[in-house]
Amino acid sequence: MDYSDNIAIIGSGIAGMEASLMLSKAGKKVTLIEKLSLIGGKTIKNEETFPSLDCSTCLVAPIQQEILQDGNINVHTVSEVSKISGNAGNFKVEINKKARYVNLEACLGCGACYPVCPISQMNEWEENLTKKKAIYVPCSGSLPNVPVIDADKCLNLSGQEDCKKCEEACMFGAIDFTEKDEKIELKAGAILAATGYDLLDVSSMENLGYGELLEVYTAMEFERLFAENGPTEGKLVMRDGETIPSSVAIIHCVGRSETNYCSNVCCTASSKHAHFIHHKLADAKVYNIYSDICLPDKTYQKFHQDVKENSSKFIYQSDKDKMKITKKQGKINIKYLDNKDETQDLKVDMVILANALIPAKGSDELAKVLGVKQDRFGFIEAQPFRVGSVNTSKTGIFVAGCIEGPKDIQNSVIQSEAAVAGILSLLKDK
Amino acid sequence: MSEKVGIFVCECGPNIASKVDIDKIKQNISELEDFQDKELVVKNHKLLCSVEGKKFLEKEIKDNNITHLVVAACSPRDHDTTFMEICKKTQLNPFMYQMVNIREQCAWVTPDKEQATKKAVRMIHGGMDRVLYQQALEEKHLDSNPDVLIVGGGIAGMEAALTLAGEDRLVFLIEKNEKLGGKSARLTKLLPRQGVSLNVLHQKISEIENNQYIKVFTNTELESAVGFLGNFEIEIKDVNKPDKTTELLAGAIVVATGFELLDHKVLDSYNVKTDDEVYNALEIEEMLSTSGKIIMQNGKEPKKVALIHCVGRPEVGYCSKVCCTYLLKVAKLIKEQSSQIEVTQLYKHMCLPHKQDENFYDKVQGQGIKFIRIKDSIIKGTKIDYTDISDVKQKMDVDMIITGTAMIPTKQTKQLAEELNIELHETGFYQEAHLKIDPVSTNTDGVFVIGGAHGPTGITETMLQAQAASGKIFTQLIPGEKITPEVKVSEILEAYCTGCKTCLDVCGFGAIYFDDDKGISIVNEAICRGCGNCVGSCPSGSIVSKHFTNPQLYQEVKEVLR
């Protein structure tokens, strides 16, 4: 039977990238579809990875470069899958590719276009801790190192003014206001869904004060705050722009009761955050408030132990749903139940909420487009009656990484490599 | 053929052109005294990495018959590959080219234009001196064997065998016991989906036995393995008749030798005799498979059972990941056997790392099972002294204790690691090539580690790891295709080697072996990855790293520092 040698991979995080490179090595063509303007996924938002404290960018940048230089891999950024038809071996995939308005071939990434742009808006990739222009790269070191123009905000593209400041500043003629959104159709022998995770919105959890109290951060906000290429260039300064916290509490299992699962990576990430704070601000007091500690790898406990001994005090709370975070006399007050079920107060300058991992935004739509089943949490389900599977409910469509459930980097990579085995076996048999 | 050195300066649009004087660079380079006897082609281009720029460079190399090429542009990280690929389209060997970074290391960091121009000239001069000392290197293409040896016939090894085997790839599956199935065969139910029974496992065993592309060797152990990815020569031996060995050839080796459970009797906090009613997980599974239920040695059902979590965890230094859910399963089984039995879980942290686990935990909690969070415990027979989470000392006397003991490496792990030249993690399990981004590979190319041998893993993860290793092998050993080892490898100059063997210790890839007849070390170029460790360690200076030889580096540095 005739089948397509092309594989469509949705999502360019660590799972999507690993599968792309492996399939290319096996002589397949890969169409890598990413909805953002840069590839790399969530891994690159972390400054260092637990527990070896490898610099994430150093781990991932060579992989990103290899992807961009690989002749077998066709990368579509600012793109989303809109329709799938056909069957294993012969899927027809429709992609909505948004206009970038900057020519990927011509642009060198010199950065001359941003300073001249008159528009300023929040940078959500940086967890809204900083601003960006209407023409922007989400962070320094973005790959491809080519900006994108936000058509809704751009004066020219939104029809507000005939502004051509970026075009004039560009010495390579890379800006193209005439670029149009495209519909791309392609064939694929198999599809891999690897769109990752998002973090639970904690603003509705009133007891934790997030959104109202500027001193309360989510784990990802803290990652960016700590990042050398982040909004403060790694300086641990709070939202007011001047306060350096002298005490920080890290709250575990935030949103676990809501999601009804353990998010697998927050205990390790929280230990890492405690380590980060202690090493940047040696005098700061660091507290981890936990109920259960989950360290599911042979390499994790040692680091955690080290953090416990040197960087942070670990406080047990008996009922995580009884916690209440408020502000009293300029300090953040955390009310919690201790090991004897007695109410305690802890006063700190800063709070980090280790919030739950949830299926990436758009998972429901993606599942519908792909025609695959989701589990009751909304994750895309691996075949429930085959233990240890990366097949979805539809033959030829595979799943890898956090879109299947919360997991750490190595288990995302393992699923991705397993999916490659599944895809190659499937296409061989066709 | 006379030397003809091509120097191409990329302007990188204004990035380089506006920060240095391109014409002056070209002029200074053309007038270099030590190059007056060489033919030079010195040109600039607006953007060498552009489509048009690449064509320009290719044509220039061909038309001018360039023998040595220097490209002064951006960071090699951006475009080294780009320019090497261009060389490959011409007569020029890609190793006769050198990239000089006059953007990040010069234009962008040296604000004074005159200074930057001088600096760029020096850097390019260094590149020119270096390239004259470079040597053409040719890629080698080696035949490779797509077949795979799998060590261990448990669930991991079986899953890998079934994924890998096919008409163009044989699998040799060796198992030291007389039967396939490993420890999973001793489990009664899989977790946490209680509906999935072990029929899956028995089905796999029969699939393997009926698969003509899988050769199973039971009662068999690995005797020796030498070689490298694509070409391993393997000897296996019959456990019962150690003299009986068989030779095999394979391109890759998958280690799936599983785990063992820590014996709680070795722990200081466990004062337990063999005939006490204290069991670990595997003993419970055996009990369930022989008698179908949980009973004491006197044949009676226990009235009170305590399940203790994290047994041996402080001693081994890691969480075994599956014990919490395992003990929940056992608690549920006991309650289903008889709701009259009082079941208590003594735990420190409930570790439920998979999305289905919490729901299972909720269900088990609803079955009248007592959960007590403790700080520590001391066991004497079936008497338990423990400190609860609120620091109160408590006592408990039960009829039976079931321990969630730590998973530990098998006794053979170390020996096999030495045989296969793979590293061990400080916990005693095998060490992955990279914990995060290469978790089933090892430091030796072509050798993979999966399942319990890799570290504590549940069945789901074990099977995924098996498929992951298969995926790696599918992409690294393609039937009928040759493999191309690293070109920039180390070479030992026979005449200078004193046979001190220092290099053997520093090589992390097992690429160096000692030739007893000649009394010298020799690099296996198919394994060497060119890290240069041996070069630095060699006291007699007899090891050369190709493309990074001392003269090459010296020439470059000399000019830059002049």
Side-chain angles (χ1 to χ4, degrees):
Chain A
M1 191 180 130
D2 220 17
Y3 67 92
S4 171
D5 234 7
N6 184 49
I7 289 108
I9 297 183
I10 311 167
S12 69
I14 194 79
M17 290 195 297
E18 172 74 0
S20 299
L21 286 176
M22 284 175 73
L23 288 164
S24 162
K25 278 200 191 96
K28 302 286 172 194
K29 298 273 178 216
V30 173
T31 306
L32 181 59
I33 303 151
E34 167 58 49
K35 75 171 175 195
L36 298 181
S37 64
L38 79 171
I39 62 169
K42 291 275 199 300
T43 310
I44 55 170
K45 292 179 90 161
N46 292 274
E47 176 78 354
E48 290 166 357
T49 61
F50 184 97
S52 52
L53 300 181
D54 277 317
C55 150
S56 311
T57 310
C58 314
L59 274 186
V60 180
I63 300 175
Q64 290 169 291
Q65 283 288 9
E66 217 181 317
I67 296 249
L68 296 174
Q69 288 169 0
D70 192 316
N72 285 335
I73 304 173
N74 196 356
V75 181
H76 292 289
T77 46
V78 283
S79 299
E80 285 184 87
V81 173
S82 55
K83 203 176 158 193
I84 302 267
S85 55
N87 291 307
N90 273 300
F91 288 110
K92 205 168 96 189
V93 182
E94 269 182 42
I95 302 170
N96 271 344
K97 183 170 187 163
K98 288 211 167 135
R100 190 179 192 109
Y101 304 106
V102 183
N103 187 312
L104 279 161
E105 295 282 317
C107 173
L108 279 184
C110 70
C113 53
Y114 335 127
V116 298
C117 177
I119 297 297
S120 177
Q121 58 172 329
M122 293 316 284
N123 183 345
E124 65 275 19
W125 197 91
E126 291 288 12
E127 304 293 318
N128 297 325
L129 293 170
T130 185
K131 294 194 166 169
K132 64 181 179 187
K133 297 300 184 74
I135 182 165
Y136 66 92
V137 288
C139 67
S140 61
S142 296
L143 288 169
N145 185 17
V146 173
V148 56
I149 301 181
D150 183 338
D152 295 335
K153 294 281 158 54
C154 169
L155 294 174
N156 185 316
L157 288 166
S158 64
Q160 297 176 61
E161 264 177 49
D162 190 25
C163 173
K164 286 198 171 131
K165 292 207 167 93
C166 56
E167 194 178 18
E168 285 154 14
C170 179
M171 288 153 284
F172 304 94
I175 311 281
D176 179 6
F177 290 117
T178 66
E179 208 182 302
K180 294 272 176 287
D181 293 357
E182 283 180 82
K183 231 184 187 56
I184 297 171
E185 266 191 29
L186 52 97
K187 287 203 159 170
I191 296 168
L192 174 65
T195 51
Y197 68 92
D198 271 302
L199 290 166
L200 182 76
D201 178 12
V202 286
S203 52
S204 60
M205 299 164 73
E206 282 169 19
N207 60 325
L208 299 178
Y210 177 80
E212 203 171 307
L213 305 173
L214 295 178
E215 295 85 348
V216 181
Y217 290 76
T218 63
M220 195 55 96
E221 286 170 354
F222 179 75
E223 279 289 350
R224 293 315 298 157
L225 202 59
F226 183 78
E228 289 295 331
N229 68 346
T232 59
E233 290 175 348
K235 205 169 164 213
L236 288 183
V237 59
M238 296 185 32
R239 282 193 177 94
D240 62 8
E242 51 189 61
T243 310
I244 308 286
S246 60
S247 52
V248 184
I250 302 169
I251 319 292
H252 291 225
C253 286
V254 171
R256 181 167 172 174
S257 307
E258 284 72 9
T259 58
N260 197 31
Y261 52 78
C262 160
S263 290
N264 191 302
V265 298
C266 343
C267 281
T268 53
S270 297
S271 300
K272 181 183 78 174
H273 291 162
H275 168 86
F276 283 171
I277 299 165
H278 179 69
H279 275 249
K280 228 163 224 188
L281 309 170
D283 296 332
K285 287 200 169 60
V286 187
Y287 307 93
N288 273 258
I289 304 184
Y290 73 97
S291 295
D292 289 288
I293 296 282
C294 180
L295 303 167
D297 189 274
K298 67 179 177 208
T299 62
Y300 288 171
Q301 183 162 312
K302 193 181 176 214
F303 184 86
H304 171 77
Q305 204 63 34
D306 177 61
V307 170
K308 216 167 148 180
E309 278 156 27
N310 302 308
S311 309
S312 170
K313 191 175 171 190
F314 278 71
I315 302 172
Y316 173 76
Q317 66 164 334
S318 65
D319 187 345
K320 53 186 176 291
D321 298 329
K322 296 270 165 67
M323 177 175 276
K324 178 97 183 135
I325 300 176
T326 51
K327 198 167 178 179
K328 275 183 185 166
Q329 290 131 19
K331 275 258 186 191
I332 293 294
N333 188 70
I334 303 171
K335 212 177 255 309
Y336 67 94
L337 291 181
D338 71 3
N339 59 338
K340 297 185 169 73
D341 278 337
E342 284 162 14
T343 304
Q344 298 289 345
D345 290 286
L346 179 70
K347 288 191 168 47
V348 292
D349 293 335
M350 182 185 194
V351 174
I352 301 168
L353 305 176
N355 47 337
L357 271 61
I358 56 169
K361 281 185 201 89
S363 302
D364 294 350
E365 292 80 0
L366 181 67
K368 210 171 280 170
V369 166
L370 297 178
V372 297
K373 283 191 186 140
Q374 289 167 281
D375 63 17
R376 62 203 171 87
F377 312 113
F379 293 108
I380 290 182
E381 193 167 48
Q383 248 182 25
F385 297 108
R386 235 198 91 194
V387 184
S389 161
V390 282
N391 298 33
T392 63
S393 58
K394 190 163 176 177
T395 311
I397 302 185
F398 296 80
V399 62
C402 287
I403 188 58
E404 190 273 328
K407 55 182 68 67
D408 51 19
I409 296 173
Q410 59 266 44
N411 280 297
S412 296
V413 170
I414 284 170
Q415 278 194 339
S416 163
E417 293 169 358
V420 168
I423 290 167
L424 293 174
S425 301
L426 173 88
L427 295 184
K428 203 174 100 185
D429 294 342
K430 287 270 158 210
Chain B
M1 195 169 69
S2 65
E3 288 158 340
K4 200 162 180 186
V5 188
I7 298 102
F8 292 85
V9 182
C10 177
E11 296 177 17
C12 194
N15 277 297
I16 294 173
S18 68
K19 303 288 169 63
V20 296
D21 186 334
I22 298 278
D23 288 335
K24 198 162 181 194
I25 290 177
K26 279 168 63 184
Q27 192 193 340
N28 288 357
I29 292 291
S30 306
E31 291 167 358
L32 287 174
E33 272 180 31
D34 48 344
F35 277 83
Q36 288 311 311
D37 58 338
K38 309 262 184 319
E39 210 177 326
L40 301 184
V41 179
V42 187
K43 290 192 176 173
N44 59 313
H45 188 273
K46 193 166 178 262
L47 194 60
L48 278 174
C49 64
S50 64
V51 177
E52 191 265 317
K54 285 193 265 192
K55 276 191 196 140
F56 162 80
L57 185 60
E58 183 183 337
K59 191 167 184 301
E60 289 288 328
I61 297 172
K62 284 181 183 160
D63 291 356
N64 293 304
N65 264 317
I66 303 285
T67 60
H68 298 75
L69 173 69
V70 175
V71 176
C74 56
S75 162
R77 200 153 164 178
D78 280 1
H79 284 297
D80 201 26
T81 326
T82 311
F83 299 125
M84 280 189 114
E85 288 303 316
I86 293 172
C87 294
K88 285 182 190 167
K89 291 182 185 170
T90 71
Q91 78 287 351
L92 189 69
N93 182 288
F95 293 94
M96 299 305 286
Y97 130 86
Q98 178 65 21
M99 191 166 182
V100 177
N101 181 357
I102 58 164
R103 193 177 73 178
E104 281 86 342
Q105 293 176 358
C106 182
W108 283 355
V109 290
T110 308
D112 183 83
K113 194 166 181 172
E114 208 183 310
Q115 287 290 328
T117 305
K118 271 190 192 165
K119 187 174 168 185
V121 171
R122 278 191 180 191
M123 290 170 73
I124 296 169
H125 192 179
M128 291 163 72
D129 279 359
R130 186 192 203 278
V131 82
L132 287 181
Y133 279 79
Q134 284 176 201
Q135 283 160 347
L137 300 177
E138 297 294 341
E139 284 185 342
K140 284 183 192 148
H141 302 287
L142 305 176
D143 284 332
S144 78
N145 182 337
D147 300 343
V148 181
L149 172 79
I150 299 175
V151 187
I155 189 95
M158 291 199 297
E159 177 73 6
L162 287 169
T163 313
L164 285 163
E167 56 183 357
D168 52 7
R169 193 187 310 274
L170 287 180
V171 170
F172 308 106
L173 178 59
I174 66 170
E175 165 57 49
K176 72 174 171 14
N177 294 313
E178 57 183 341
K179 274 186 182 170
L180 291 176
K183 284 195 191 57
S184 309
R186 291 156 77 174
L187 300 178
T188 44
K189 282 184 177 177
L190 296 187
L191 271 171
R193 305 180 188 101
Q194 297 270 307
V196 182
S197 77
L198 278 171
N199 290 341
V200 181
L201 191 82
H202 301 127
Q203 198 186 322
K204 276 191 197 300
I205 295 175
S206 86
E207 270 178 52
I208 285 187
E209 283 165 351
N210 294 320
N211 190 319
Q212 55 173 316
Y213 305 114
I214 302 175
K215 308 270 177 248
V216 179
F217 300 84
T218 49
N219 291 318
T220 301
E221 278 181 337
L222 183 76
E223 170 73 14
S224 70
V226 286
F228 46 89
L229 173 70
N231 292 285
F232 284 102
E233 288 173 21
I234 293 152
E235 230 182 331
I236 55 174
K237 68 163 184 243
D238 191 313
V239 181
N240 303 319
K241 294 172 227 149
D243 301 340
K244 200 187 148 200
T245 59
T246 310
E247 280 173 23
L248 300 171
L249 296 174
I253 299 172
V254 178
V255 178
T257 46
F259 66 94
E260 279 172 19
L261 281 186
L262 181 83
D263 181 3
H264 47 238
K265 291 190 219 61
V266 305
L267 300 170
D268 290 342
S269 55
Y270 275 69
N271 190 354
V272 174
K273 290 192 286 298
T274 317
D275 57 354
D276 284 328
E277 297 287 341
V278 182
Y279 303 94
N280 71 19
L282 290 174
E283 289 162 349
I284 285 295
E285 292 297 335
E286 260 162 32
M287 186 192 292
L288 284 167
S289 62
T290 50
S291 61
K293 54 183 185 174
I294 307 279
I295 45 166
M296 298 190 290
Q297 284 155 39
N298 61 11
K300 286 183 186 160
E301 202 168 65
K303 289 199 176 73
K304 282 185 179 178
V305 182
L307 282 64
I308 306 180
H309 292 234
C310 287
V311 176
R313 175 171 173 180
E315 287 78 5
V316 298
Y318 51 85
C319 161
S320 292
K321 209 152 106 172
V322 297
C323 345
C324 280
T325 38
Y326 181 80
L327 290 179
L328 292 176
K329 178 184 88 164
V330 173
K332 188 168 177 280
L333 284 175
I334 299 173
K335 275 290 180 192
E336 280 163 5
Q337 180 181 319
S338 163
S339 59
Q340 301 303 311
I341 304 174
E342 200 181 303
V343 182
T344 310
Q345 301 246 6
L346 298 170
Y347 71 105
K348 293 177 182 172
H349 297 279
M350 197 57 79
C351 178
L352 306 168
H354 295 287
K355 61 182 179 183
Q356 309 96 332
D357 296 345
E358 187 119 331
N359 187 39
F360 184 62
Y361 179 39
D362 290 345
K363 268 190 202 154
V364 175
Q365 276 180 311
Q367 291 187 318
I369 294 157
K370 231 161 116 185
F371 286 83
I372 301 177
R373 195 185 286 268
I374 61 168
K375 285 192 164 169
D376 51 52
S377 61
I378 294 173
I379 314 301
K380 198 175 171 193
T382 48
K383 289 183 171 41
I384 307 164
D385 286 338
Y386 67 91
T387 311
D388 73 13
I389 186 71
S390 59
D391 296 319
V392 180
K393 295 215 180 298
Q394 307 272 12
K395 281 185 191 303
M396 185 187 272
D397 198 351
V398 293
D399 301 326
M400 182 186 281
I401 291 175
I402 301 171
T403 58
T405 39
M407 291 162 85
I408 55 170
T410 62
K411 289 178 196 75
Q412 294 85 358
T413 304
K414 208 171 166 193
Q415 195 193 332
L416 195 56
E418 277 165 17
E419 191 52 60
L420 295 172
N421 187 45
I422 53 180
E423 282 171 19
L424 291 180
H425 182 253
E426 59 192 13
T427 51
F429 291 103
Y430 297 108
Q431 168 93 54
E432 46 283 90
H434 192 287
L435 171 66
K436 296 286 172 190
I437 56 173
D438 203 358
V440 292
S441 304
T442 65
N443 58 307
T444 297
D445 271 352
V447 180
F448 301 86
V449 174
I450 57 173
H454 188 280
T457 20
I459 288 181
T460 302
E461 275 175 308
T462 293
M463 291 181 48
L464 288 171
Q465 287 180 6
Q467 294 163 32
S470 306
K472 282 274 178 184
I473 292 168
F474 281 153
T475 54
Q476 290 177 9
L477 288 176
I478 300 169
E481 280 189 24
K482 294 187 184 238
I483 51 170
T484 310
E486 175 61 57
V487 177
K488 293 173 276 183
V489 293
S490 291
E491 186 181 16
I492 296 177
L493 307 173
E494 281 191 23
Y496 297 102
C497 176
T498 57
C500 72
K501 298 187 184 176
T502 307
C503 50
L504 290 163
D505 291 334
V506 299
C507 179
F509 305 105
I512 306 178
Y513 64 94
F514 195 75
D515 184 327
D516 286 318
D517 295 339
K518 290 185 181 168
I520 56 166
S521 295
I522 293 178
V523 176
N524 184 335
E525 294 196 354
I527 304 177
C528 175
R529 300 206 203 157
C531 72
N533 267 353
C534 56
V535 180
S537 78
C538 178
S540 61
S542 67
I543 312 185
V544 176
S545 182
K546 289 183 186 175
H547 204 58
F548 292 93
T549 64
N550 281 346
Q552 288 166 1
L553 298 177
Y554 174 74
Q555 288 300 327
E556 185 175 6
V557 173
K558 173 196 77 177
E559 251 349 294
V560 175
L561 298 181
R562 191 187 287 275

